[in-house]
Amino acid sequence: MSRSSDSGQTGAPAAAVGGDTRERILTAAMEEFARHGIAGARVDRIAKLARTSKERVYAYFRGKEALYAAVAAREYLVIAEATQMDPYDLPGYAGRLFDYFVARPDHHRLITWGRLELPGAAAVADDPAQAVIARKVDQLCRVQQAGQLDPAWDPADVLALVNQIAMTWAAQPELSEAAAAHAVDPTTAARRAAVVTAVERLFPRAG
């Protein structure tokens, strides 16, 4: 009778067990990196949370930076899928980004740690984050060519500005606390409305 020490299941196909273990490692690493950053993350804690061994973690990922890169790559794809940029409705896209990070502040921390700790990391050829960015810039170019977005803007600047406005509050939690105490309307809905309005004034909805 075959048995896997990682899965605790008998008779499970090796590929299925391996995939399950890798997924548990990525999920555990997401939590660890979001909480402690890359330098502060501990592989032994990741292994314990993933119900596996440090040796198994290193069998899948050659080190913490490689593990972080895998987690971050997956997260960029999740964000892109969850927020779905409509180049004809950038205010709506900004609102979805705002909602995403309000619901998942730990995901914003995960990305921020990478920007702080790996600022000089070279992008790899199949980097999903770069692929997502390139696709969005191309979408914006097409909307400009269709006369639905001011062509005076560089599409890369459009994307950067919309992203930055959408993540204003996620990136400044101290201001969120201050707004809760001092804003005329202290609600999250008011912060979201401000984000959407700011993007609308810069890049109005097409049509």
Side-chain angles (χ1 to χ4, degrees):
M1 181 171 62
S2 64
R3 181 172 61 190
S4 167
S5 60
D6 275 336
S7 69
Q9 299 174 342
T10 52
V17 171
D20 184 57
T21 302
R22 187 178 189 278
E23 183 62 26
R24 292 201 312 273
I25 291 169
L26 287 170
T27 300
M30 164 73 197
E31 181 176 327
E32 179 75 6
F33 287 129
R35 182 174 299 174
H36 301 287
I38 302 168
R42 295 276 300 277
V43 174
D44 56 346
R45 286 197 296 252
I46 294 171
K48 182 177 180 180
L49 187 60
R51 306 190 310 280
T52 189
S53 65
K54 286 176 65 175
E55 291 74 20
R56 178 65 76 182
V57 173
Y58 284 119
Y60 285 106
F61 306 98
R62 62 183 180 275
K64 280 199 298 184
E65 289 191 7
L67 178 52
Y68 174 85
V71 171
R74 187 175 69 165
E75 176 59 15
Y76 276 111
L77 293 177
V78 168
I79 294 170
E81 180 63 26
T83 58
Q84 288 292 329
M85 188 188 85
D86 178 353
Y88 291 94
D89 182 12
L90 294 176
Y93 168 60
R96 288 189 292 277
L97 274 177
F98 176 91
D99 293 339
Y100 185 88
F101 288 113
V102 164
R104 302 166 184 82
D106 54 327
H107 291 216
H108 187 271
R109 289 197 302 273
L110 172 80
I111 293 170
T112 301
W113 279 117
R115 290 169 176 165
L116 290 172
E117 297 191 56
L118 302 173
V124 296
D126 58 349
D127 182 352
Q130 292 301 315
V132 167
I133 291 168
R135 184 171 67 251
K136 290 180 178 179
V137 169
D138 182 63
Q139 287 179 295
L140 293 168
C141 283
R142 292 175 184 273
V143 173
Q144 286 179 320
Q145 291 166 2
Q148 298 294 317
L149 180 65
D150 186 351
W153 290 95
D154 188 305
D157 290 328
V158 173
L159 182 60
L161 288 167
V162 172
N163 285 348
Q164 192 65 37
I165 292 169
M167 292 187 280
T168 294
W169 296 100
Q172 301 181 88
E174 70 283 359
L175 283 183
S176 294
E177 293 180 16
H182 304 296
V184 173
D185 182 343
T187 64
T188 300
R191 307 287 76 75
R192 186 188 195 279
V195 162
V196 172
T197 298
V199 175
E200 174 72 36
R201 291 183 180 180
L202 279 172
F203 311 112
R205 290 177 175 84

